Amino acid sequence: MQTRTKVIIAVAIVALLSVAAVLGSTNGRARGVSVRTEAVDTRDLVATVTASGNVRARRKVDISSDISARVAQLLVDEGQDVEQGQILLRLDPSRYQAALDRSQANLSASQAQVAQARANLLRAQRQAERMVSLRARDSLLVSRQDVENAETDLEVQQSLRDAAVYGVNQAQAAVEEARDQLSKTIIRAPISGRVTRLNVEQGETVIVGTMNNPGSLVLTVSDLSVMEVVLEVDETDVPEISLGDSAAVELDAFPDLVFPGTVTEIGNSAIRPPSQVAGTGQTPTIDFEVVVTLENPAAELRPDLSATAEVVTDTRIDQLAIPIIALTLREEDREGPNGETSSQDGGRTASEPIEGVFVVKDGIAVFTPVEIGIAGQEYFEVVSGLSEGDSVVSGPYQVVRTLADSSEVRADESPGVEPLNETD
C-alpha cells in the first residue's frame, strides 16, 4: 500500500515538472513582440507616377460654318475616312448666288459709268484745248473767263472719271466677297483623316457664331495616325516627370492590352487655375496636363477613350531595398529601455523626426536611421544606413509604427502579407 502511494506521488511530481517545463517553454516563446521580418536584398526598382486621362488625336480640326444656311447635301457619315479637299457637305447656295449676281450687275454698271466719265473727260479736254487755242489766236473771240471755265470743267471731269474708277474697284471687291461667300457653301476636308463627330443632318440650318452665341460645330475630322493620352497629373508629381519618360498606358476599352508611350508635353500652367475656383467654397485641386504619345498602337483607338498611365520617372538596377511598410518615422531624441535619452543624429533638433527601420539583432529590434532613394511599387531604395542581409521588421504595420527602440521581438512565421494602411 505504501509502495503504491509512493508511485502515485512520483507520477504526480513528474507530471507537475512536465507542465512547468511546457509553461516555461511557452512563456519563453511568448516573450517579445510578434513581428514579421525580411532580409535586406538587392532588387530592380522602378519609380512611377500614375494618372488618368483620355485619348485624343494629335491633330484634329473642328469645322464650323462661316455662313448661315441650310444643309442641302450631306456627303459623309460619322466614322468615314476622308481625304484632304474632299467635299463633305453642301449648303443651300441660293441666297449667296443671288448676292453674287447682284454684285456682278453693280460691277457692270460701275464699268459703264467709267466709260461715260472717260467720254465726258475727253469732251472737256477738247473743249479746253479749243478755248485756249481761240484765246491765243484772238483774245476778242474768247474771254479769259471762258478759258478758265473750260479748264475747271476739265478738272471736274477728271475727278468724276477717278471716282468712277474707284467705284469699279469697289464693285469688283464686292464681287470677290460674294464669290467667297458662295464658295463657303461647299465645305471640304481640311486634312485627311476620319470624321469623328458629325453634328448636323441634311435639312438642318447651321449658323455663324457671334460674340455671345457660339456658332454651329458642323463636324470634326481627326488624323488618327498619331494618338495621344492627355493626363491630369497632381502638382506634387509633375516635378518628377520629364520629357522623354516612358509610360505604360491601359485603356478601359482594351483591358488586356498595354500601350507603350512617351511623354511629349508637360503643361506649364494648371488646367483649372485657382482663380477660377476662388469664391466657390471649394478647395482648388491643382492638376497639370501631361501628354503621352502612344507608339504605334496595335488596336484601332478612338478619341475620348478613358486611360490610365504609369509614367516611369526613374529606375534602379540591383540596388539595396527595404519594404515600404518597414520604413517609419521617429523623433530624434527617444527614451531607451532604461529611461535614458539618446539622439540618433546630434546635428538635428530634438523635435525633428527621422526616417529609419528596426533592425533585428539577437531578438532585439534596434531603430536604425536610413537614407532612402526612389520608391518602387512595394520597396524603397536604400542609399545608406543598411547592409545586404540585415534583417528588418516588415510588419505588421501598426507594430512598426508603435514599436519602441531596443524592444524584444520574435519572428512570426505565419504566412500572408498585410497591406499597407496609410490612414492608420
Side-chain angles (χ1 to χ4, degrees), residues 47-49 231 233 237-247 261-267 289-293 310-314:
T48 61
V49 171
L231 305 173
V233 181
D237 294 327
V238 168
E240 301 178 14
I241 300 177
S242 303
L243 294 177
D245 285 347
S246 61
T262 304
V263 175
T264 55
E265 184 179 343
I266 301 174
E289 182 177 280
V290 175
V291 178
V292 174
T293 300
E310 286 190 353
V311 180
V312 178
T313 59
D314 211 341

Side-chain angles (χ1 to χ4, degrees), residues 39-41 320-322 359 368 370 382 384-392:
V40 178
D41 198 1
L320 289 180
I322 57 172
V359 178
T368 304
V370 296
V382 177
S384 63
L386 295 175
S387 300
E388 186 174 0
D390 287 345
S391 179
V392 298

Side-chain angles (χ1 to χ4, degrees), residues 117-134:
R118 285 175 177 171
N120 291 336
L121 175 61
L122 180 60
R123 183 181 60 186
Q125 185 177 4
R126 290 174 179 174
Q127 181 67 17
E129 292 175 352
R130 185 179 303 110
M131 289 296 179
V132 171
S133 176
L134 291 175

